[in-house]
Every structure is written in structure tokens, then in C-alpha cells.
Amino acid sequence: MIISPSILAANKQHLIEDIQLVESLGVEFIHFDVMDGKFVPNTSYTIEDLDYIVPHHHLINDVHIMVENPYEVGIEFANHGADYVTFHIEATKDEAEVLKIINKLHQLKVKVGISIKPNTSVETILKYLPLIDLILVMSVEPGFGGQKFIESAIDKIKTLRQYIDQNNLSCLIEVDGGINNITGQKCKDAGVDILVAGSYLFGHDDIKERIDSLR
């Protein structure tokens, strides 16, 4: 089980220390949320923030862009240290644009993910799974941390797991939103590969035990 701590919940005054702490505790990824205040009603980390943290850790930079213009923003983050760039299917206008983003990001040697909001059906993105490296199931509405887990994400993960296995695909399944030891176990049972957790981990004295509970 891959754990990707979301630094949206980290202490921004001690960001490097928080990242290095979870790295020392054996996590593999760091989840970096980008919001433009348009696609979602909030803003978060920027390209300058990514530049700031990249030299200070050796984790996989798992960048989730919640923006209106994923092509341009995706390229920018791909050129500044992202290892994965995950964009929202809802931010694209048609299949041609989706393929354009996937192809360009792969040309830039980053892995590509597609994310779906809670009200978006899995069937919308099944045809893209052979072309991408990761599918991110949002189990809350994107834009805010600390929300309650939406149970319909479990059925989406099960559908994705079955489709990926039946078609011998290598696409990873990630889930983000309201993840704790209980919801994380449900997602693991459904077949998820990566758990994103933020407020469940950061700001707690027993963060090691919490990471262990997700595994």
C-alpha cells in the first residue's frame, strides 16, 4: 500500500520539516494539491512552492492540479519537478483535449493521472486507462481539506480494480478525501493502490502509528 501524505494539511510554516518527517517514517509519495480558485473555490500551492520543496526530499512528487487550464498548468509543473501530474477530466472539453494533455505530459517524461469528482461516473474515463499511469478517485468534493468520506467512492474503486485487472493494465488507483484508518481499510479492500491522507496524519503526535494504520 502506497501512502501519499497530502501537504494541504501540513504546517505551512514548517513545510520542509513536515515533509521530511513523513519521509523518515517510510512513506513513498507526497501529495501536492494545486488549486486555481476557479475550477475549485480555493487556492493552494503554486509552482514556487514546488520549487521550494523539491530539493529537500526524495519522495515521489504526486501533483494534483485542480485548474481550468490543465494543459498549460500541467506542462509547467512537469517542468518543475512533478513525477506525476494528475488533471481533472471535468476540466477538459472533449476527448481530443484529454489525449493532447496525456501525450504532452508523457513527452515531458512525467507519469499522467486523471481525476474524477464524486459525481463523475467511472465509465467516463475507462477508455483512457490504457493510456495513463494513475486514476485518482475523489472521495470528497475537491477544493477543501478535512471533508467527510463519500461512500460511493468504494464502488468506483471496485469497478476500476476489476477493469484494470481484466485488461492487464498497469494503471494505479489512488483515492483522496476523508481517508483515515477506517475509510482507508474500506478502500484497500476495494482494491486501491494509493491512499492520500492529510488531516488524518499531519498535526498529530502519533503520526507514525497513523501511517502504520493506513498500511
Side-chain angles (χ1 to χ4, degrees), residues 130-150:
L131 308 175
I132 61 175
D133 307 284
L134 181 147
I135 173 67
L136 170 56
V137 176
M138 291 302 300
S139 46
V140 297
E141 285 296 331
F144 300 94
Q147 296 182 67
K148 188 174 185 295
F149 182 83
I150 297 173

Side-chain angles (χ1 to χ4, degrees), residues 21 198-208 210:
L21 171 61
S199 54
Y200 177 66
L201 298 180
F202 290 111
H204 299 280
D205 293 335
D206 59 344
I207 187 170
K208 180 183 185 301
R210 287 170 181 258

Side-chain angles (χ1 to χ4, degrees), residues 34-51:
V34 180
M35 306 179 197
D36 63 0
K38 299 172 185 175
F39 180 72
V40 292
N42 210 338
T43 58
S44 59
Y45 291 112
T46 65
I47 201 78
E48 290 78 18
D49 294 315
L50 187 62
D51 285 339

Side-chain angles (χ1 to χ4, degrees), residues 9-20:
N11 184 335
K12 292 179 175 58
Q13 305 306 313
H14 303 282
L15 192 55
I16 300 301
E17 292 91 333
D18 273 1
I19 293 171
Q20 291 176 342

Side-chain angles (χ1 to χ4, degrees), residues 64-80:
H64 174 201
I65 57 172
M66 291 164 270
V67 298
E68 283 187 340
N69 53 333
Y71 182 77
E72 292 82 2
V73 174
I75 290 172
E76 190 175 14
F77 279 91
N79 287 327
H80 282 257

Side-chain angles (χ1 to χ4, degrees), residues 5-199:
S6 172
I7 59 172
L8 195 62
N11 184 335
K12 292 179 175 58
Q13 305 306 313
H14 303 282
L15 192 55
I16 300 301
E17 292 91 333
D18 273 1
I19 293 171
Q20 291 176 342
L21 171 61
V22 293
E23 182 175 24
S24 73
L25 296 175
V27 304
E28 299 85 359
F29 284 38
I30 201 77
H31 194 77
F32 187 96
D33 285 312
V34 180
M35 306 179 197
D36 63 0
K38 299 172 185 175
F39 180 72
V40 292
N42 210 338
T43 58
S44 59
Y45 291 112
T46 65
I47 201 78
E48 290 78 18
D49 294 315
L50 187 62
D51 285 339
Y52 172 62
I53 69 169
V54 162
H56 298 286
H57 71 85
H58 300 93
L59 299 168
I60 298 295
N61 291 299
D62 176 22
V63 177
H64 174 201
I65 57 172
M66 291 164 270
V67 298
E68 283 187 340
N69 53 333
Y71 182 77
E72 292 82 2
V73 174
I75 290 172
E76 190 175 14
F77 279 91
N79 287 327
H80 282 257
D83 297 294
Y84 282 78
V85 173
T86 297
F87 65 96
H88 270 267
I89 193 71
E90 301 91 356
T92 61
K93 63 181 182 295
D94 55 29
E95 182 176 347
E97 184 180 7
V98 175
L99 296 176
K100 178 183 176 183
I101 297 169
I102 293 170
N103 291 334
K104 181 63 177 179
L105 291 175
H106 277 151
Q107 286 174 16
L108 295 172
K109 308 301 183 189
V110 297
K111 294 184 183 295
V112 181
I114 292 179
S115 183
I116 53 173
K117 292 182 179 183
N119 290 330
T120 301
S121 73
V122 168
E123 286 69 28
T124 310
I125 48 82
L126 290 180
K127 62 185 173 185
Y128 300 118
L129 294 185
L131 308 175
I132 61 175
D133 307 284
L134 181 147
I135 173 67
L136 170 56
V137 176
M138 291 302 300
S139 46
V140 297
E141 285 296 331
F144 300 94
Q147 296 182 67
K148 188 174 185 295
F149 182 83
I150 297 173
E151 292 287 337
S152 59
I154 299 297
D155 287 335
K156 290 183 179 181
I157 294 168
K158 289 178 179 177
T159 299
L160 288 164
R161 179 81 276 149
Q162 183 178 27
Y163 187 89
I164 288 168
D165 291 348
Q166 286 179 346
N167 291 278
N168 295 313
L169 303 178
S170 57
C171 182
L172 296 172
I173 305 172
E174 182 174 53
V175 63
D176 180 8
I179 296 300
N180 55 37
N181 57 324
I182 296 169
T183 58
Q185 185 61 54
K186 291 180 180 180
C187 292
K188 285 192 288 185
D189 293 343
V192 83
D193 299 295
I194 305 171
L195 293 173
V196 177
S199 54

